[in-house]
Amino acid sequence: MRASCFLLCVHFSVCAVSAARAGAWLYPEGKGQLILTTTFANAQNAYDAGGRLVKTPSYRKFETRAYLEHGVTDWLTFVAEGGAMSFRGAPAPADHLEMLIAEAKAGLPFSIRPPPGTKYEGLGLGAVGARLRLFEHGDYVFSFEAGARTASAEARRFLDMRDATQIDARLLMGRSFSLFGMSGFVDTQLGFRTRGQNGDEARMDLAAGLRPLDRLLLMAQSFSAIAPRAGAATLVAAQKFQLSAVYDLTPAISLQVGGVTALSGVNSPAEHGIVAALWWRYQSY
């Protein structure tokens, strides 16, 4: 596979893992939260078809997303997401070679400088959906969430979307617990997403949180996606791990800071970045 094609594949999987969700729990009627998240990430390497790190043209991205949850009833929560992004990608060596060949065929002087890299600034993902409580048992809660995602044709080149509309559905299970007097939770999400850049995807998001202090929440999160019947590649898989801390400034406002890295993958970028978020919890009446 040419370097430019490989870079195209990793571009498509850059946003394969969605932003952290609030989990299996639902908001009571009239209550909700808004999370504004900013992520800066870059990559200079990628995982090849054998899962080995290889050097690839670098990229960097800056993304801001707003994620809203609102309790319609005690058993139904409305969710929505939207954002904007800036993407800068270096040209692949093969791109310069192709340009030189084209210039030679046309009888033009050779260009010393390589062609410009990939660039995008504009709106990113837009999504709406709902989470339905299925049942509760002791400290466990089970729910189902489904939603539709959309983006412009230009933005989809840098998102995990092949078509203008994409469906995401998932089963969620959450459990609260206490450990040495500290409250905590675990959250598991198993999902299916249609028509990613490399075909339909199976997804699994895991999260665990612990409060060593009343105002401080420590979280570990894992985001995984696999497209077994990929397009340009026979298999695309990505797994990212995020560690963060959320501090409650007030009962309504929290700040989150953390880091994210791609621990493993197949035909996907080895991306690293930092994450910051502002959480606002509200009651509409």
Side-chain angles (χ1 to χ4, degrees), residues 23-46:
W25 290 268
L26 281 75
Y27 267 84
E29 181 178 351
K31 295 184 178 181
Q33 73 173 354
L34 176 66
I35 303 177
L36 300 176
T37 304
T38 297
T39 305
F40 177 79
N42 63 79
Q44 297 180 340
N45 301 301

mmCIF file of all heavy atoms in Angstrom, residues 23-46:
data_model
loop_
_atom_site.group_PDB
_atom_site.id
_atom_site.type_symbol
_atom_site.label_atom_id
_atom_site.label_comp_id
_atom_site.label_asym_id
_atom_site.label_seq_id
_atom_site.Cartn_x
_atom_site.Cartn_y
_atom_site.Cartn_z
ATOM 1 N N GLY A 23 -22.224 7.716 30.630
ATOM 2 C CA GLY A 23 -22.393 6.367 31.118
ATOM 3 C C GLY A 23 -23.818 5.880 31.052
ATOM 4 O O GLY A 23 -24.691 6.468 30.419
ATOM 5 N N ALA A 24 -24.076 4.765 31.743
ATOM 6 C CA ALA A 24 -25.369 4.099 31.659
ATOM 7 C C ALA A 24 -26.461 4.831 32.433
ATOM 8 O O ALA A 24 -27.640 4.594 32.197
ATOM 9 C CB ALA A 24 -25.234 2.669 32.187
ATOM 10 N N TRP A 25 -26.091 5.712 33.362
ATOM 11 C CA TRP A 25 -27.073 6.379 34.199
ATOM 12 C C TRP A 25 -27.843 7.438 33.416
ATOM 13 O O TRP A 25 -27.322 8.042 32.470
ATOM 14 C CB TRP A 25 -26.389 7.011 35.399
ATOM 15 C CG TRP A 25 -25.887 5.994 36.364
ATOM 16 C CD1 TRP A 25 -26.534 5.469 37.446
ATOM 17 C CD2 TRP A 25 -24.611 5.350 36.345
ATOM 18 N NE1 TRP A 25 -25.756 4.549 38.090
ATOM 19 C CE2 TRP A 25 -24.561 4.455 37.442
ATOM 20 C CE3 TRP A 25 -23.494 5.445 35.502
ATOM 21 C CZ2 TRP A 25 -23.456 3.669 37.713
ATOM 22 C CZ3 TRP A 25 -22.394 4.660 35.771
ATOM 23 C CH2 TRP A 25 -22.378 3.784 36.868
ATOM 24 N N LEU A 26 -29.079 7.697 33.823
ATOM 25 C CA LEU A 26 -29.919 8.695 33.190
ATOM 26 C C LEU A 26 -30.117 9.883 34.128
ATOM 27 O O LEU A 26 -29.980 9.743 35.352
ATOM 28 C CB LEU A 26 -31.286 8.110 32.815
ATOM 29 C CG LEU A 26 -31.319 7.257 31.529
ATOM 30 C CD1 LEU A 26 -30.693 5.894 31.752
ATOM 31 C CD2 LEU A 26 -32.755 7.108 31.034
ATOM 32 N N TYR A 27 -30.444 11.025 33.535
ATOM 33 C CA TYR A 27 -30.730 12.212 34.334
ATOM 34 C C TYR A 27 -32.210 12.256 34.681
ATOM 35 O O TYR A 27 -33.059 11.899 33.866
ATOM 36 C CB TYR A 27 -30.327 13.480 33.587
ATOM 37 C CG TYR A 27 -28.937 13.928 33.928
ATOM 38 C CD1 TYR A 27 -27.841 13.384 33.270
ATOM 39 C CD2 TYR A 27 -28.710 14.854 34.934
ATOM 40 C CE1 TYR A 27 -26.554 13.766 33.603
ATOM 41 C CE2 TYR A 27 -27.437 15.242 35.271
ATOM 42 C CZ TYR A 27 -26.362 14.696 34.607
ATOM 43 O OH TYR A 27 -25.097 15.067 34.943
ATOM 44 N N PRO A 28 -32.553 12.734 35.891
ATOM 45 C CA PRO A 28 -33.970 12.905 36.232
ATOM 46 C C PRO A 28 -34.630 13.941 35.314
ATOM 47 O O PRO A 28 -33.957 14.762 34.689
ATOM 48 C CB PRO A 28 -33.929 13.406 37.685
ATOM 49 C CG PRO A 28 -32.574 13.018 38.195
ATOM 50 C CD PRO A 28 -31.670 13.068 37.007
ATOM 51 N N GLU A 29 -35.920 13.901 35.254
ATOM 52 C CA GLU A 29 -36.669 14.827 34.400
ATOM 53 C C GLU A 29 -36.340 16.279 34.749
ATOM 54 O O GLU A 29 -36.352 16.679 35.906
ATOM 55 C CB GLU A 29 -38.166 14.583 34.563
ATOM 56 C CG GLU A 29 -39.030 15.479 33.693
ATOM 57 C CD GLU A 29 -40.507 15.171 33.846
ATOM 58 O OE1 GLU A 29 -40.843 14.155 34.501
ATOM 59 O OE2 GLU A 29 -41.334 15.945 33.320
ATOM 60 N N GLY A 30 -36.005 17.061 33.712
ATOM 61 C CA GLY A 30 -35.711 18.476 33.899
ATOM 62 C C GLY A 30 -34.288 18.794 34.304
ATOM 63 O O GLY A 30 -33.914 19.964 34.391
ATOM 64 N N LYS A 31 -33.470 17.786 34.540
ATOM 65 C CA LYS A 31 -32.070 17.998 34.896
ATOM 66 C C LYS A 31 -31.170 17.510 33.776
ATOM 67 O O LYS A 31 -31.555 16.692 32.947
ATOM 68 C CB LYS A 31 -31.719 17.281 36.200
ATOM 69 C CG LYS A 31 -32.437 17.812 37.415
ATOM 70 C CD LYS A 31 -31.961 17.118 38.673
ATOM 71 C CE LYS A 31 -32.651 17.670 39.908
ATOM 72 N NZ LYS A 31 -32.163 17.012 41.159
ATOM 73 N N GLY A 32 -29.930 18.012 33.757
ATOM 74 C CA GLY A 32 -29.005 17.585 32.720
ATOM 75 C C GLY A 32 -27.624 18.151 32.938
ATOM 76 O O GLY A 32 -27.322 18.745 33.980
ATOM 77 N N GLN A 33 -26.770 17.954 31.935
ATOM 78 C CA GLN A 33 -25.423 18.504 31.997
ATOM 79 C C GLN A 33 -24.920 18.812 30.593
ATOM 80 O O GLN A 33 -25.330 18.194 29.607
ATOM 81 C CB GLN A 33 -24.463 17.551 32.698
ATOM 82 C CG GLN A 33 -24.074 16.319 31.917
ATOM 83 C CD GLN A 33 -22.979 15.512 32.611
ATOM 84 O OE1 GLN A 33 -22.433 15.917 33.621
ATOM 85 N NE2 GLN A 33 -22.660 14.356 32.064
ATOM 86 N N LEU A 34 -24.039 19.801 30.532
ATOM 87 C CA LEU A 34 -23.368 20.193 29.301
ATOM 88 C C LEU A 34 -21.871 20.089 29.533
ATOM 89 O O LEU A 34 -21.349 20.652 30.505
ATOM 90 C CB LEU A 34 -23.743 21.623 28.910
ATOM 91 C CG LEU A 34 -23.051 22.208 27.679
ATOM 92 C CD1 LEU A 34 -23.482 21.467 26.419
ATOM 93 C CD2 LEU A 34 -23.339 23.699 27.548
ATOM 94 N N ILE A 35 -21.168 19.355 28.648
ATOM 95 C CA ILE A 35 -19.723 19.173 28.767
ATOM 96 C C ILE A 35 -19.062 19.777 27.537
ATOM 97 O O ILE A 35 -19.327 19.346 26.405
ATOM 98 C CB ILE A 35 -19.349 17.688 28.889
ATOM 99 C CG1 ILE A 35 -20.068 17.041 30.075
ATOM 100 C CG2 ILE A 35 -17.842 17.529 29.046
ATOM 101 C CD1 ILE A 35 -19.797 15.555 30.223
ATOM 102 N N LEU A 36 -18.214 20.764 27.736
ATOM 103 C CA LEU A 36 -17.431 21.377 26.668
ATOM 104 C C LEU A 36 -16.018 20.820 26.748
ATOM 105 O O LEU A 36 -15.307 21.047 27.731
ATOM 106 C CB LEU A 36 -17.417 22.896 26.809
ATOM 107 C CG LEU A 36 -18.777 23.599 26.749
ATOM 108 C CD1 LEU A 36 -18.609 25.099 27.005
ATOM 109 C CD2 LEU A 36 -19.443 23.369 25.410
ATOM 110 N N THR A 37 -15.605 20.088 25.723
ATOM 111 C CA THR A 37 -14.311 19.398 25.726
ATOM 112 C C THR A 37 -13.412 19.923 24.624
ATOM 113 O O THR A 37 -13.845 20.069 23.479
ATOM 114 C CB THR A 37 -14.502 17.879 25.532
ATOM 115 O OG1 THR A 37 -15.370 17.376 26.543
ATOM 116 C CG2 THR A 37 -13.172 17.155 25.610
ATOM 117 N N THR A 38 -12.162 20.188 24.964
ATOM 118 C CA THR A 38 -11.152 20.597 23.997
ATOM 119 C C THR A 38 -10.021 19.578 24.012
ATOM 120 O O THR A 38 -9.514 19.221 25.077
ATOM 121 C CB THR A 38 -10.596 21.993 24.328
ATOM 122 O OG1 THR A 38 -11.653 22.947 24.241
ATOM 123 C CG2 THR A 38 -9.505 22.384 23.347
ATOM 124 N N THR A 39 -9.644 19.111 22.831
ATOM 125 C CA THR A 39 -8.592 18.105 22.705
ATOM 126 C C THR A 39 -7.543 18.576 21.715
ATOM 127 O O THR A 39 -7.876 19.039 20.616
ATOM 128 C CB THR A 39 -9.162 16.758 22.214
ATOM 129 O OG1 THR A 39 -10.213 16.337 23.085
ATOM 130 C CG2 THR A 39 -8.085 15.693 22.170
ATOM 131 N N PHE A 40 -6.283 18.481 22.101
ATOM 132 C CA PHE A 40 -5.167 18.712 21.186
ATOM 133 C C PHE A 40 -4.391 17.414 21.086
ATOM 134 O O PHE A 40 -3.957 16.852 22.085
ATOM 135 C CB PHE A 40 -4.248 19.830 21.678
ATOM 136 C CG PHE A 40 -3.054 20.023 20.782
ATOM 137 C CD1 PHE A 40 -3.172 20.725 19.593
ATOM 138 C CD2 PHE A 40 -1.822 19.477 21.112
ATOM 139 C CE1 PHE A 40 -2.076 20.888 18.751
ATOM 140 C CE2 PHE A 40 -0.718 19.635 20.281
ATOM 141 C CZ PHE A 40 -0.858 20.349 19.102
ATOM 142 N N ALA A 41 -4.229 16.904 19.857
ATOM 143 C CA ALA A 41 -3.564 15.618 19.666
ATOM 144 C C ALA A 41 -2.686 15.660 18.423
ATOM 145 O O ALA A 41 -2.895 16.477 17.523
ATOM 146 C CB ALA A 41 -4.589 14.490 19.542
ATOM 147 N N ASN A 42 -1.706 14.768 18.392
ATOM 148 C CA ASN A 42 -0.843 14.645 17.226
ATOM 149 C C ASN A 42 -0.350 13.211 17.117
ATOM 150 O O ASN A 42 -0.461 12.418 18.058
ATOM 151 C CB ASN A 42 0.345 15.623 17.313
ATOM 152 C CG ASN A 42 1.247 15.317 18.492
ATOM 153 O OD1 ASN A 42 2.063 14.402 18.444
ATOM 154 N ND2 ASN A 42 1.095 16.065 19.576
ATOM 155 N N ALA A 43 0.183 12.889 15.953
ATOM 156 C CA ALA A 43 0.739 11.551 15.717
ATOM 157 C C ALA A 43 1.841 11.649 14.674
ATOM 158 O O ALA A 43 1.710 12.385 13.692
ATOM 159 C CB ALA A 43 -0.345 10.589 15.255
ATOM 160 N N GLN A 44 2.918 10.914 14.889
ATOM 161 C CA GLN A 44 4.020 10.802 13.938
ATOM 162 C C GLN A 44 4.242 9.362 13.500
ATOM 163 O O GLN A 44 5.004 9.113 12.578
ATOM 164 C CB GLN A 44 5.304 11.372 14.548
ATOM 165 C CG GLN A 44 5.212 12.849 14.873
ATOM 166 C CD GLN A 44 6.494 13.387 15.475
ATOM 167 O OE1 GLN A 44 7.329 12.630 15.990
ATOM 168 N NE2 GLN A 44 6.666 14.691 15.422
ATOM 169 N N ASN A 45 3.573 8.437 14.187
ATOM 170 C CA ASN A 45 3.676 7.019 13.868
ATOM 171 C C ASN A 45 2.277 6.426 13.753
ATOM 172 O O ASN A 45 1.281 7.053 14.123
ATOM 173 C CB ASN A 45 4.461 6.273 14.949
ATOM 174 C CG ASN A 45 5.866 6.806 15.125
ATOM 175 O OD1 ASN A 45 6.647 6.806 14.183
ATOM 176 N ND2 ASN A 45 6.184 7.280 16.321
ATOM 177 N N ALA A 46 2.223 5.213 13.246
ATOM 178 C CA ALA A 46 0.961 4.491 13.140
ATOM 179 C C ALA A 46 1.221 3.008 13.327
ATOM 180 O O ALA A 46 2.362 2.529 13.186
ATOM 181 C CB ALA A 46 0.296 4.755 11.794
#
